[in-house]
Each structure stands twice: as structure tokens, then as C-alpha cells.
Amino acid sequence: MKMKAGRILLLLLCLSVVTFGVIAGPQTCPASDLESGCSDSEEWRGEFFPGIPKIKYEGPSSKNPLSFKWYNAEEEILGKKMKDWLRFSVAFWHTFRGTGGDPFGAPTKNWPWEDGTNSVAMAKRRMRANFEFINKLGVDRWCFHDRDIAPDGETLEESNKNLDEVVALAKELQGSKIRPLWGTAQLFLHPRYMHGGATSPEVGVYAYAAAQVKKAIEVTNYLGGENYVFWGGREGYQSLLNTDMGRELDHLARFLEAAVAYKKKIGFNGTLLIEPKPQEPTKHQYDWDAATSANFLRKYGLIGEFKLNIECNHATLSGHSCHHELETARLNGLLGNVDANTGDPQTGWDTDQFLTDIAEATLVMLTVVKNGGIAPGGFNFDAKLRRESTDVEDLFIAHISGMDTLAHGLRNVVKLIEDGSLDELVRKRYESFDTEIGAHIEAGKGDFEYLEKKALEWGEPKVPSAKQELAEMLFQSVL
């Protein structure tokens, strides 16, 4: 009898263990455990970053590399929370598709969750890794290219089906808090786009590019995206000898007009953005810089439909500073978003490094504050780990460093505003225009005859010092 009772007790204990397992749901297992059964399922929910805690603000004195020193999301600065000034976003392509490969070497990144395929199942696993990363980093926005998050199919229909399947999972994982800062279509990697997409001389490619952008706008809208980006990496030329540049520019304008029309048709309320870049991979890209892009938009009557996504590394490639490009966009009413990265001054290509220069970040934030913020845009980390950085924690360290740098820059802008000396220096430099005659000129009433009369009356003008060294000293004092 005692033996029978013992067997019954053992059976009840086993049932309770099984019941607990069912209630608890799938157990967490390391992302690198590709041999286990849980990794074979498309619904696998392993932990991708074991040992990495949710990143918290610990202040400037912290020595913890997995903490924020300057970025305190909820802290209010100049009437807004830091998270609302900065609106940080993770770039899916660099973070989860970056391999470390370059023209001279094979990939160096071997993330533990990768299985070596580009299957839909693998795409779903990456998507789960993306949202675990976003949640641990403490941001609520991400950016994507369509072909980065889902594999290209043999046909357009298959590609769309793959994208729909992965996007459905992304929608589920986003919940109510996270959304794309922007989405875009990858119109540069596939051989069909070797001559461009919207500027291809082949009408079939133009139509295919339009279909791909149509789908990308739809999924961006479905995911609650706040913007949609056009980066024309192949929209340019290698030689004018075989290029009808006027016709290609006209075709590009027609393409963008069609995008505007479709956006409105489906009720997508996000901002359309053009991302300027001078060259690479083409010899000359049509949206060379902010000024060129603004002129293109004005010429084709698109100035009210688009804004610009300024990338700092692209600015330096075009011979400008990031501050110059941001100011050009702001003064034209076109500042829509910032791709936060930088290049190496010793190299001449798009190295896409994380921005860690406090001085540059302060200048960037100076423009953003003057603009009153950049919502619904934000700061997307279009930046990648160096080839030699291969630890999973490096992904966090790089983003923490980039976020802290821009947050530090924002804090420096507050110091500049509170001190007021730099603003006063600029005001004094132009104070001769704060007169009746200056106001006359700025109102467009200073005709040449009137100005000649004043020049004869005043004689040789006295030209004051620009005080550039003092301006630089005042700026450096807050760093």
C-alpha cells in the first residue's frame, strides 16, 4: 500500500513539473546553441545577449562600459526630455547584417545566432535579436532596408511574400512602444540596379524599382514608421559620355512624384526624406549635397513634399562639415533627420564610424536646438563596428558611446546658451545691420542708387575684427 501511495505521489510530482513547464512557456536558451531543438523552430525565442543587462544611466563618474554617462532619457533639457531631443534609432543593416568584410578581406563577424543562411527562418531570428537589443539598449526606434530584414526571392512575388512574413513578426515584437524611425528600399545591391533604379536607362528596371518602393512604403506604414528614406546610391553616373543626365534627372523627379502620390493614396503620414551623398558607389550621385538636393526639389516642385536626411560622413565626402550640411538643410526648411556617424579624416570613403567627437556632436546639436528639434525625424546610428571589433558586447558599447556623445553635445549647447557670450559675439558682428539703413536693405529696399549715395556720404568703411579665435575659445570652453 505504501509502495502504491509512493508511486501515486511520484506521478503527481511529475505532472506538476510538466504543467509548470507548459505554463511557463518556452525556456530561454543561449542564441549560440544551434544544436538544440529550440533553435530549429522559426518561433525560437532564445536569449541573444545573455549577461548583458538593460543599459541604465549612471552618470559621468561611472566606469561601467555598459552604462550611460551623459544620456539620461527622462531628464528635461531646454523644455524637452533628452529622449525627445535625440529620438535614437538602431540601424538594422549595420547592427545585424554587418559582417566586417571589406574589399580586401573576408567577414570577421560570426554572431552566435547566425546559421550561415539567408533563409526566412534566419531573418526571423535576426528580427528577434534586433528587438532584444533595442529593449536592452533602451531605445524605441529602428530603421531598415527591405532586403536587409527579409531575403530576396526568385521573383518579386516571392520577395514580397518573404517580406510580409518577417514584417508580421516585427509588428508583433514592436508592441505599442517601438516603431521604425524610417524604412527604405534597397535599390543598389542587386545586379538589376547596376545603372540605378529611378535613373536606369532600362524601363523594366524603373518599373521594378517602383514596385519595390511601393511595397517598402506599405510595410513602413504598416509598422507605424515615421519617415521613409530615398538613398540613391546608384542614382548617378560613371561617365557623361554615355549618359543623358537631363533625362535621368527628369525620370528621378517623376519617380519621386509617383512616391508622393502613392504615399497620400494609402494614407501614410510619414515624412519622405532624401539622403544626400556625393559619390560611392557611383562616380557622381545626383543628390550630391544638401544644397544640390534642395535645388533639385525646387526645380521639380517637390520642395514641400520632401525633407533631407543628413549623414555626417556623407557631408565630409562632399567637402563639407556635418555642421554645414545641417545648417544648409535647416535654413532651407529641409532638416528632417540625421544619420549619426562620422568618417576617418585619413581615408576618402564612407567608413560609417560611430560619432565620438564631442566638439562635432556639440555643433550638430547646436543646429538641432536652433531647429527646435527634428521630430518626426531623429538620430539613426548609420554606423558599424570596426572590422576588428568582434564581441557581441561591442554592439552595445558602440551604441552607448554614440548616444552619450550626442547627449554630451546637447548638454554643451545648454552651456553655450546659458553663457551667451558666443551669441553676443555673433550679434555684435552684424550690429551695423540693426539700424534703419540695415533694416532697409534686409527688407529688399536697398537699391543701388540709394546705396551709392550712402557710400559717398560715409567714405571708406571701417571693418572690425571677426574675432574668430575668440569664438573658437568660447566654443572650446564648454567642451
Side-chain angles (χ1 to χ4, degrees):
M1 188 71 179
K2 287 182 180 179
M3 186 178 293
K4 187 174 182 181
R7 289 177 178 173
I8 292 172
L9 182 61
L10 181 60
L11 178 61
L12 290 172
L13 181 61
C14 290
L15 285 172
S16 67
V17 170
V18 172
T19 302
F20 175 78
V22 172
I23 293 172
Q27 294 186 21
T28 298
C29 56
S32 58
D33 188 9
L34 298 180
E35 300 301 320
S36 68
C38 64
S39 66
D40 295 331
S41 170
E42 293 182 2
E43 299 304 317
W44 179 75
R45 299 173 186 273
E47 184 177 3
F48 298 91
F49 305 100
I52 303 289
K54 187 171 177 63
I55 309 303
K56 297 179 179 179
Y57 173 72
E58 295 184 5
S61 63
S62 175
K63 301 299 182 183
N64 177 11
L66 294 176
S67 71
F68 295 119
K69 287 77 177 172
W70 299 97
Y71 177 61
N72 187 9
E74 298 297 326
E75 182 179 347
E76 191 168 298
I77 289 182
L78 299 175
K80 292 182 184 178
K81 292 180 179 181
M82 281 192 117
K83 67 179 184 180
D84 295 326
W85 277 114
L86 296 164
R87 294 169 58 83
F88 286 130
S89 171
V90 171
F92 188 94
W93 55 98
H94 282 319
T95 308
F96 293 100
R97 301 309 306 270
T99 66
D102 65 22
F104 302 95
T108 59
K109 307 288 191 289
N110 185 26
W111 301 133
W113 53 82
E114 290 287 335
D115 66 5
T117 72
N118 193 28
S119 64
V120 172
M122 186 63 245
K124 288 183 174 182
R125 185 181 297 154
R126 290 190 198 104
M127 191 59 70
R128 292 190 185 280
N130 174 56
F131 282 100
E132 183 181 320
F133 181 81
I134 287 172
N135 280 300
K136 287 192 171 183
L137 189 62
V139 301
D140 49 19
R141 290 175 178 84
W142 64 296
C143 294
F144 66 90
H145 299 87
D146 53 356
R147 298 300 183 256
D148 292 329
I149 63 174
D152 220 344
E154 292 296 322
T155 64
L156 181 60
E157 292 87 352
E158 184 182 344
S159 296
N160 288 345
K161 181 178 179 293
N162 292 343
L163 185 59
D164 284 339
E165 192 169 340
V166 176
V167 165
L169 176 63
K171 180 78 167 180
E172 173 192 331
L173 296 173
Q174 279 189 165
S176 59
K177 179 184 176 184
I178 300 172
R179 63 172 60 191
L181 179 64
W182 51 260
T184 189
Q186 189 193 78
L187 303 182
F188 50 87
L189 183 62
H190 195 282
R192 79 173 67 89
Y193 296 124
M194 63 181 177
H195 304 304
T199 59
S200 174
E202 172 52 53
V203 71
V205 174
Y206 185 98
Y208 201 107
Q212 192 172 331
V213 168
K214 172 182 176 289
K215 183 64 175 180
I217 292 175
E218 289 170 359
V219 299
T220 301
N221 187 39
Y222 174 73
L223 290 169
E226 297 175 284
N227 305 272
Y228 183 88
V229 166
F230 292 85
W231 177 65
R234 302 283 180 191
E235 312 301 347
Y237 62 81
Q238 301 295 347
S239 172
L240 281 174
L241 293 175
N242 63 348
T243 301
D244 187 335
M245 185 165 65
R247 200 169 188 184
E248 289 195 3
L249 287 168
D250 287 346
H251 292 173
L252 177 58
R254 300 292 89 80
F255 192 94
L256 296 177
E257 287 171 357
V260 171
Y262 191 67
K263 164 200 162 175
K264 294 177 178 178
K265 181 177 181 179
I266 66 172
F268 175 47
N269 295 319
T271 302
L272 299 180
L273 301 168
I274 288 178
E275 181 177 327
K277 186 179 182 182
Q279 72 271 322
E280 191 195 4
T282 57
K283 178 180 178 179
H284 180 97
Q285 194 168 309
Y286 290 135
D287 48 9
W288 181 274
D289 60 8
T292 305
S293 299
N295 183 61
F296 172 87
L297 292 173
R298 285 196 182 91
K299 175 181 177 181
Y300 289 102
L302 293 167
I303 198 73
E305 304 291 353
F306 287 83
K307 289 192 175 183
L308 301 182
N309 177 35
I310 300 299
E311 179 173 319
C312 291
N313 201 169
H314 293 178
T316 52
L317 289 176
S318 66
H320 305 305
S321 67
C322 188
H323 191 207
H324 168 89
E325 286 293 88
L326 290 169
E327 280 292 280
T328 300
R330 181 183 73 84
L331 293 170
N332 282 278
L334 294 173
L335 180 55
N337 195 79
V338 181
D339 267 9
N341 63 12
T342 191
D344 190 306
Q346 290 183 279
T347 59
W349 62 86
D350 198 7
T351 54
D352 283 339
Q353 296 168 236
F354 280 85
L355 176 61
T356 57
D357 185 319
I358 304 299
E360 184 173 9
T362 303
L363 292 170
V364 167
M365 293 312 303
L366 193 59
T367 292
V368 170
V369 169
K370 286 180 180 178
N371 199 61
I374 50 176
F379 284 89
N380 172 52
F381 287 108
D382 191 358
K384 58 189 175 185
L385 293 180
R386 296 304 85 199
R387 175 177 168 79
E388 302 79 12
S389 298
T390 57
D391 290 341
V392 166
E393 75 164 7
D394 294 334
L395 291 169
F396 284 90
I397 291 170
H399 281 83
I400 291 166
S401 178
M403 293 166 74
D404 266 343
T405 299
L406 286 162
H408 197 166
L410 177 58
R411 293 180 186 276
N412 288 341
V413 171
V414 174
K415 293 180 185 178
L416 285 171
I417 292 172
E418 290 177 346
D419 177 73
S421 299
L422 186 57
D423 284 340
E424 179 62 13
L425 184 152
V426 175
R427 187 198 67 78
K428 283 186 175 180
R429 192 171 179 220
Y430 295 91
E431 65 183 353
S432 68
F433 279 86
D434 297 330
T435 60
E436 182 179 350
I437 295 172
H440 203 65
I441 292 169
E442 291 182 344
K445 299 176 181 177
D447 61 74
F448 276 9
E449 289 85 356
Y450 171 77
L451 294 174
E452 180 188 42
K453 179 181 178 182
K454 287 298 178 182
L456 292 170
E457 178 185 330
W458 292 337
E460 186 63 30
K462 296 179 180 180
V463 183
S465 169
K467 296 291 183 183
Q468 181 176 328
E469 292 75 17
L470 177 57
E472 291 167 348
M473 178 187 291
L474 294 171
F475 176 75
Q476 291 291 331
S477 70
V478 305
L479 303 183

